[in-house]
Amino acid sequence: IFRSWMNVLELVRLIPKVEDQLKISVIDSWEDHVYIGTESGSIVLYSVQEDVPSGKFTFRLEKTRSIGKRPVTQIEVVSVLGKLIVLCDGNVDVLNLYSLEPQPTFPISRDVSMVCYERNSPLFRFCICVKKKLHFFEFVGQFNYFKEITLSERPTCMNWTNGTLCIALKKDYVLLELESETISPLFPFMEKNKPAAPLIEILGNEFVLAKEGIFNLKFQHENTT
């Protein structure tokens, strides 16, 4: 992990060896918790503490839970709800953020390729992608379905903030305004069919996008609704 110190990034080794030499497929963190998804379909939770005078870290294995037999492909920490969203072998599982105990999941939870939730919003809204279809849910004690949108191509990456989704299709980024269901093209993330992976992150209220493998482009999003 990288630690920021006086605006300088420092590479810090937190966990020298993952439990039972499990192979890591995805990783996420929240406060002093590190969530690891493995190639064998498990979720491993570590707590990490820093000794400030020495700058050294100690870690402790807290919980493990088997989700499936194939690699975990996505982990989303939704700390405000105390939930961990896990995607494994096309299935979505919802776990308690602290105990990793299973919780009620989405009405649509199979054949899923990716999941995202809306940032910078007072609502707790989620999007599940199944092939070319985007299924939208709002959490009000349970996951309530409220909209479906069909795209022209299957998304390869997506993120969501303040009513707008940024989506990577086969070659290009597009914006989807959820309320109007308007889709606006942005630009391609690859040139002349050269292989390049799309990346979409959110910084404040900006989408930070990768083009041709370089993760340094910012697109300012302003909600006009």
Side-chain angles (χ1 to χ4, degrees):
I1 191 171
F2 288 94
R3 174 175 57 184
S4 178
W5 180 74
M6 295 181 65
N7 297 322
V8 177
L9 291 178
E10 175 189 2
L11 181 61
V12 178
R13 190 181 187 186
L14 288 184
I15 303 172
K17 182 180 178 182
V18 178
E19 195 72 9
D20 296 329
Q21 297 182 332
L22 295 172
K23 294 182 179 180
I24 298 172
S25 56
V26 292
I27 188 169
D28 204 347
S29 64
W30 171 67
E31 294 189 345
D32 61 350
H33 294 76
V34 177
Y35 300 88
I36 294 174
T38 73
E39 293 283 347
S40 58
S42 296
I43 299 295
V44 184
L45 170 58
Y46 286 94
S47 62
V48 180
Q49 299 291 332
E50 180 182 8
D51 181 69
V52 177
S54 67
K56 294 183 179 180
F57 290 87
T58 59
F59 67 96
R60 181 176 66 186
L61 175 66
E62 298 288 349
K63 302 284 182 179
T64 62
R65 177 164 292 277
S66 177
I67 299 297
K69 296 182 179 180
R70 295 189 178 182
V72 176
T73 54
Q74 188 178 355
I75 296 174
E76 291 287 345
V77 173
V78 189
S79 59
V80 68
L81 295 178
K83 296 181 183 297
L84 189 71
I85 312 296
V86 180
L87 182 60
C88 179
D89 196 19
N91 298 320
V92 179
D93 288 275
V94 179
L95 307 179
N96 181 280
L97 195 59
Y98 308 97
S99 66
L100 300 186
E101 289 296 319
Q103 296 187 340
T105 187
F106 298 86
I108 297 173
S109 60
R110 296 185 180 276
D111 300 321
V112 176
S113 58
M114 68 189 77
V115 181
C116 72
Y117 71 97
E118 186 177 19
R119 317 296 175 101
N120 301 313
S121 171
L123 303 176
F124 306 124
R125 301 196 295 185
F126 298 80
C127 177
I128 285 182
C129 179
V130 179
K131 297 181 180 179
K132 297 180 182 180
K133 292 184 177 182
L134 302 180
H135 303 273
F136 294 90
F137 301 85
E138 182 177 358
F139 184 81
V140 187
Q142 61 183 9
F143 294 100
N144 296 323
Y145 179 87
F146 71 90
K147 182 174 283 195
E148 176 187 306
I149 296 176
T150 301
L151 302 174
S152 60
E153 300 174 5
R154 177 179 291 192
T156 57
C157 183
M158 63 181 181
N159 220 327
W160 186 6
T161 180
N162 197 21
T164 299
L165 289 92
C166 185
I167 302 170
L169 299 177
K170 186 176 181 180
K171 298 180 181 179
D172 305 279
Y173 292 115
V174 299
L175 288 181
L176 169 61
E177 296 287 346
L178 184 59
E179 184 173 344
S180 64
E181 301 187 14
T182 301
I183 297 177
S184 306
L186 287 179
F187 51 82
F189 57 83
M190 56 188 293
E191 299 288 347
K192 298 179 180 179
N193 294 321
K194 293 181 180 179
L199 289 170
I200 306 172
E201 293 295 336
I202 294 171
L203 182 62
N205 203 35
E206 291 181 327
F207 290 115
V208 184
L209 311 177
K211 184 176 182 180
E212 299 180 56
I214 301 174
F215 197 36
N216 61 2
L217 299 179
K218 293 184 179 180
F219 177 80
Q220 179 69 44
H221 163 64
E222 295 182 359
N223 194 333
T224 58
T225 59

